[in-house]
Amino acid sequence: MKTVMMTATGGADVLAVMDLPEPSPGPGEVLVDIAASGVNFMDIGVRQGMSWLDMPLPRALGVEGAGRVAALGEGVTDFAVGQRVAWVYAPGSYAERAVIPAASLVPLPDNIDDRTAASLMMQGLTASHFTTDFYPVQPGDVALVHAAAGGLGQLLTQIIKLRGGTVIGRVSSAAKVDVAKAAGADHVIVDTKGNFVEEVLRLTHGEGVHVVYDGSGPATFHGSLASLRRSGTFCWFGPVLGGPGQIDIMSLPRSIKLGYAVFSDHIHTPDLLRARASRLFDWIREGALKVAPATTFPLADAAKAHLAMESRTTVGKLLLIP
């Protein structure tokens, strides 16, 4: 069974495809034939040694995907052999097959294809958490979305629009403007150096936005602070690009609210996972949410996928296809 493993911490060159013994599901587990695996920034963080440090090397990468049940472990009654499923946060998903806890799986309806599901689980559930729980967007709210042409940025934009908000999207190049607008962004700012505040304030008549969604690292942190109106909410996420350093809480301006959003707090039980995923699937069926076609790579090209993501030149989701 081919699996992408990291042989050490470091750059993309530490990734290697290895042949491992065929896995068998234990109690409460399911063996899945993987059709598509999602590539996420957290995978780069693992590769660089930011997390999973307690797991021995070589270490299997990937946490998200979609496929079909191949075998059931003892006690699993929620799924059947041959059933299509998707998952998020199941380590070892860069592979032809994986053993996954049944509690981490959601059933896939017929109208959701494997690649759409693998593109949606991590980013869709994250976008859902950010916009309906961490800061429940209300009609008339104005949101600043960084990396608005990325997979997460496009989903954030669409859900904000579903909830009646206005989106100011920030992108890193003019080539990404049309992608952000196609997702529903009302205004798009092209910026690579963190010089976006003046335009945000102009667009909001000097008031600032109600909420900012920022996973772009420390380069945008202070600009995002300056873009918020009084009592605005700062949704900070994405540890791979680094944090802003120490913060003096008494220096935070305009009574803003600042938090680090983690989607696992949104779906901390299997029932919530399936309910939130089902809502995403319903939005897709109704045409209210669209997932842009993914950029795909063969499983053997996982290193190329990582380099493409790190280049910040891609739009939408990146997938590995076994």
Side-chain angles (χ1 to χ4, degrees):
M1 180 195 74
K2 289 182 170 54
T3 302
V4 176
M5 309 286 285
M6 53 177 285
T7 57
T9 58
D13 59 332
V14 305
L15 301 184
V17 177
M18 298 184 178
D19 277 313
L20 301 183
E22 292 291 328
S24 298
E29 295 178 333
V30 175
L31 176 65
V32 178
D33 287 324
I34 298 175
S37 303
V39 179
N40 295 286
F41 266 107
M42 73 161 293
D43 304 335
I44 293 172
V46 171
R47 193 200 75 214
Q48 293 175 342
M50 295 182 183
S51 55
W52 295 13
L53 298 180
D54 57 334
M55 296 175 63
L57 293 169
R59 186 180 303 150
L61 278 183
V63 296
E64 169 192 43
R68 195 175 293 273
V69 174
L72 302 174
E74 181 183 352
V76 177
T77 59
D78 293 343
F79 298 96
V81 172
Q83 184 176 1
R84 295 176 59 244
V85 293
W87 60 91
V88 65
Y89 216 86
S93 295
Y94 287 8
E96 293 179 319
R97 282 172 288 285
V99 169
I100 299 172
S104 297
L105 295 172
V106 301
L108 277 184
D110 292 339
N111 65 304
I112 305 296
D113 64 80
D114 293 327
R115 295 188 183 190
T116 296
S119 299
L120 185 67
M121 293 300 292
M122 173 74 82
Q123 293 178 340
L125 290 167
T126 298
S128 169
H129 169 38
F130 289 177
T131 55
T132 68
D133 185 352
F134 187 88
Y135 179 83
V137 174
Q138 302 299 311
D141 282 352
V142 183
L144 172 60
V145 176
H146 288 277
L152 176 57
Q154 292 182 56
L155 292 170
L156 278 169
T157 295
Q158 291 180 75
I159 298 175
I160 292 165
K161 298 299 294 181
L162 277 174
R163 295 179 64 86
T166 295
V167 175
I168 301 172
R170 173 183 164 270
V171 298
S172 60
S173 71
K176 297 182 178 182
V177 170
D178 288 345
V179 175
K181 286 187 174 179
D186 299 278
H187 312 279
V188 181
I189 300 170
V190 179
D191 166 69
T192 57
K193 298 180 179 179
N195 299 324
F196 53 88
V197 179
E198 183 177 345
E199 182 64 5
V200 170
L201 294 178
R202 185 189 70 81
L203 291 168
T204 57
H205 308 289
E207 293 188 17
V209 298
H210 295 83
V211 58
V212 56
Y213 298 103
D214 190 346
S216 294
T220 56
F221 181 82
H222 292 289
S224 290
L225 280 182
S227 296
L228 285 164
R229 66 178 58 200
R230 290 183 179 86
S231 300
T233 298
F234 194 142
C235 179
W236 176 266
F237 62 96
V240 174
L241 296 176
Q246 290 187 339
I247 299 168
D248 177 1
I249 195 168
M250 294 178 68
S251 72
L252 294 176
R254 297 180 299 287
S255 300
I256 68 158
K257 297 174 283 292
L258 170 64
Y260 179 63
V262 180
F263 89 88
S264 57
D265 293 324
H266 184 53
I267 52 167
H268 53 276
T269 69
D271 287 343
L272 282 173
L273 170 64
R274 290 163 191 168
R276 300 292 185 264
S278 179
R279 180 172 63 182
L280 292 172
F281 299 153
D282 286 345
W283 281 339
I284 290 176
R285 187 184 66 249
E286 295 162 1
L289 189 67
K290 293 179 172 59
V291 178
T295 301
T296 61
F297 297 81
L299 192 66
D301 286 346
K304 291 181 181 179
H306 275 221
L307 289 172
M309 178 167 281
E310 288 179 283
S311 75
R312 309 291 287 180
T313 59
T314 60
V315 298
K317 188 72 176 184
L318 307 186
L319 297 178
L320 299 179
I321 309 299

